[in-house]
Amino acid sequence: MASSAPQHFPDRPQFSDFMKPCRFEGEVRHLEVHGDLPNDIDGTFYRVMPDPQFPPFIENDPWFNGDGNVSAFRIKNGSVTFQQKYVRTEKFVREKEAGRALIGKYRNKFTDAVEFAVRSTANTNIVSFNNQLLALKEDSPPYAMDPETLETKGLYTFDGQLPSVTFTAHPKTDPVTGELICFGYEAKGDGTPDICYYTIGPGGDFTQTLWLVSPVCGMIHDFAVTQNWVLFPVMPQLCDLERMKQGGEHWQWSPETPFYIGVIPRYGAKSSDVKWFTYKNSFPGHTANAYEQNDGKIVFDLGLSDKNVFYWWPDAQGNSPDPATIHSQLTRFTVDPKAKEGSLPEPEVLHDGNSEFYRIDERFSGRKYRHSYFDLMDPRLGTDFPAIGPVMGGGYPPYNALAHHDGSTGETEVYFPGRTHLVQEPVFIPRAGSADEGDGYLLALVNNYRTMSSELHLLDCRDFSKARATILLPIRLRAGLHGNWVAN
Ligand SMILES: [Fe+2]
């Protein structure tokens, strides 16, 4: 039967060269290891990448609209096994049956070829909770996966307890109580300003649900949790249902809208307890961490840019910044939760490099902490841009180094993986038997544009100058979003 569906991916940067969809499912045992992979590392690094199963039928689909393909790197006794499998979302399964793409534009159901009950691509984060993996996309409930086989168990509503139609891709685990602290925004459906905050006990039982209303229907991609407070940073990327109905974008940058931070008590709050603080129009990126000072004020560390990082969603006049001029910095807000709503004091820039994908030693999540780790772009390090430029593909912000910022000394050390390499998000692995913050390893997927394949670089945080082990994959993994380490 003849088909009018496209059989090849568009000739666009986000589908070309290193960004060409990978679409591999399977297992590769005993990956090549160079250097010294310590025997005390015993666990699995899970990460997920948007990886479209079929070419899109819509124009200029963004790179992160692809199906979630989950990679698992199982490390034991100095050996690594790689496994990869797509999340069987409703979208994936129905498109597989149809043999073509059925979903339309990013988060716009009015452009779909068929009606979906759940549009999740499950492509943003893969989180371990209560002995299962949750594959997350912030517009939908999670999909649950088996951590051993990567088989999809199905849409997961916590046995019907999930109160909202959405679930954040960045839930926080309290390292002491074991709670999962979560929220959904657009929690009553597309274009609704409702936020649903909920906490889940370590056994999977919901312990609190609280509904809030945001001052604007803006994207709340990440959030922050301390021992007693929860903070919701709202991006000035706003949703308008009427625009969506006309086939437009879900998001539009609003230069007039401030950066809002909503603050509520973590436990026992009422809807009326929320306070909305503001800062000038700017773009909040990922959270590093947050904690309470002795004076009761909240420290909130995150990436912040004065420009629209999501430049592919311009303002109403079509204006967006030149991507080469976008610079995100690790920034510290200090929020007094007892203060009246209003403008926040000027934040402090902790590191002025162009950075993102901040991670910490998560045993200190929500607590006073010292060490942060992140992706950094520093053109002075010697990346061979003429060599890699033509094969990078597009759509993903390039970062050429891993950085460690010591909040006590203010110093930053940098690991440069090579002249033809770029890095993806790192994860911190605590050293077995050590409870000291930052005593452990940093592991990150690295794109090698000379071999056009992927590598894992493992750093021992006691010596950030070089990789202790380099693990080679025989294939190329597309840019991912987030991942997590799960110890055995
Ligand atoms: Fe994210």
Side-chain angles (χ1 to χ4, degrees):
M1 188 177 74
S3 166
S4 59
Q7 297 294 309
H8 63 85
F9 287 92
D11 183 19
R12 288 182 181 273
Q14 68 268 37
F15 297 104
S16 303
D17 302 302
F18 211 94
M19 288 297 281
K20 211 163 179 52
C22 167
R23 303 195 293 164
F24 172 83
E25 288 193 302
E27 188 175 89
V28 183
R29 288 179 290 278
H30 302 293
L31 297 181
E32 286 186 78
V33 177
H34 292 258
D36 167 34
L37 184 56
N39 277 327
D40 67 351
I41 298 181
D42 185 1
T44 303
F45 171 41
Y46 296 98
R47 49 84 74 177
V48 63
M49 63 183 168
D51 192 14
Q53 179 183 204
F54 291 106
F57 63 80
I58 57 145
E59 277 293 299
N60 207 11
D61 202 27
W63 69 272
F64 47 81
N65 203 22
D67 299 281
N69 200 355
V70 175
S71 323
F73 298 91
R74 303 184 193 282
I75 306 180
K76 196 176 188 64
N77 299 324
S79 177
V80 188
T81 290
F82 167 68
Q83 187 186 9
Q84 190 160 281
K85 208 173 188 75
Y86 275 108
V87 188
R88 265 53 183 179
T89 59
E90 179 187 342
K91 165 185 169 356
F92 182 93
V93 170
R94 291 177 66 186
E95 292 187 345
K96 187 164 182 282
E97 286 167 1
R100 67 184 185 94
L102 299 172
I103 208 156
K105 293 179 91 160
Y106 181 84
R107 294 188 66 177
N108 188 340
K109 64 186 177 189
F110 302 105
T111 62
D112 293 345
V114 298
E115 195 170 326
F116 291 94
V118 174
R119 294 183 90 249
S120 178
T121 48
N123 69 6
T124 311
N125 203 352
I126 182 85
V127 170
S128 173
F129 178 68
N130 199 16
N131 301 315
Q132 58 192 349
L133 294 175
L134 302 180
L136 304 175
K137 169 77 188 178
E138 66 196 31
D139 64 359
S140 302
Y143 274 90
M145 300 178 86
D146 184 303
E148 294 300 320
T149 64
L150 301 185
E151 296 288 341
T152 302
K153 298 195 240 177
L155 196 70
Y156 192 62
T157 60
F158 299 85
D159 299 323
Q161 298 174 95
L162 189 64
S164 60
V165 298
T166 57
F167 186 102
T168 178
H170 286 286
K172 308 295 178 206
T173 302
D174 187 305
V176 175
T177 67
E179 290 168 282
L180 196 67
I181 302 105
C182 316
F183 73 100
Y185 74 93
E186 293 188 55
K188 292 182 178 173
D190 289 331
T192 58
D194 304 273
I195 301 170
C196 188
Y197 163 72
Y198 34 94
T199 54
I200 307 171
D205 290 330
F206 274 57
T207 48
Q208 298 185 95
T209 295
L210 178 69
W211 287 89
L212 307 169
V213 178
S214 173
V216 289
C217 183
M219 180 188 273
I220 312 177
H221 176 64
D222 200 346
F223 78 136
V225 176
T226 72
Q227 286 176 274
N228 294 294
W229 300 96
V230 179
L231 298 92
F232 299 101
V234 185
M235 278 181 205
Q237 279 283 3
L238 306 187
C239 177
D240 178 67
L241 196 60
E242 290 308 311
R243 183 175 66 237
M244 286 172 60
K245 285 178 181 172
Q246 291 159 20
E249 298 290 346
H250 190 108
W251 299 116
Q252 185 176 79
W253 180 252
S254 170
E256 303 81 27
T257 301
F259 161 32
Y260 286 99
I261 300 180
V263 180
I264 55 165
R266 175 168 157 186
Y267 296 104
K270 303 185 298 292
S271 299
S272 57
D273 290 337
V274 65
K275 288 185 181 177
W276 292 100
F277 297 97
T278 58
Y279 184 61
K280 68 183 181 188
N281 179 261
S282 48
F283 183 102
H286 286 108
T287 297
N289 201 6
Y291 63 90
E292 292 153 40
Q293 297 181 154
N294 292 335
D295 64 3
K297 291 180 181 170
I298 304 164
V299 167
F300 180 17
D301 296 344
L302 77 166
L304 191 75
S305 172
D306 59 1
K307 292 189 173 139
N308 172 19
V309 173
F310 291 167
Y311 59 88
W312 50 87
W313 292 316
D315 67 18
Q317 279 70 47
N319 299 315
S320 62
D322 173 354
T325 66
I326 296 170
H327 192 94
S328 168
Q329 298 172 317
L330 180 59
T331 302
R332 171 166 292 178
F333 283 90
T334 303
V335 181
D336 181 356
K338 307 286 188 203
K340 280 189 183 161
E341 289 183 326
S343 304
L344 288 165
E346 194 65 21
E348 175 190 359
V349 175
L350 298 180
H351 186 264
D352 64 5
N354 184 14
S355 62
E356 245 297 342
F357 294 108
Y358 312 96
R359 299 302 294 261
I360 59 166
D361 178 341
E362 286 169 357
R363 296 172 297 182
F364 293 81
S365 185
R367 273 81 181 165
K368 187 167 169 52
Y369 79 119
R370 174 172 174 180
H371 303 287
S372 50
Y373 308 90
F374 47 88
D375 288 359
L376 180 69
M377 169 46 81
D378 183 348
R380 299 167 301 182
L381 293 172
T383 300
D384 188 349
F385 290 106
I388 73 171
V391 291
M392 275 170 56
Y396 192 74
Y399 295 103
N400 65 352
L402 297 170
H404 161 226
H405 177 74
D406 183 331
S408 292
T409 66
E411 290 178 5
T412 302
E413 47 187 359
V414 171
Y415 167 69
F416 181 59
R419 299 187 70 224
T420 55
H421 301 63
L422 294 175
V423 300
Q424 299 196 22
E425 182 193 56
V427 290
F428 179 83
I429 303 173
R431 194 183 309 274
S434 173
D436 296 341
E437 186 195 349
D439 188 15
Y441 307 95
L442 200 68
L443 183 67
L445 198 68
V446 172
N447 308 340
N448 183 334
Y449 296 93
R450 186 179 60 76
T451 62
M452 290 300 275
S453 58
S454 298
E455 305 173 351
L456 287 170
H457 289 207
L458 180 91
L459 310 185
D460 189 326
C461 293
R462 290 175 180 172
D463 177 7
F464 216 74
S465 66
K466 60 180 187 296
R468 181 154 170 187
T470 304
I471 300 151
L472 306 183
L473 273 85
I475 62 169
R476 171 186 49 76
L477 301 186
R478 209 173 184 238
L481 285 160
H482 301 290
N484 289 287
W485 174 256
V486 180
N488 282 340

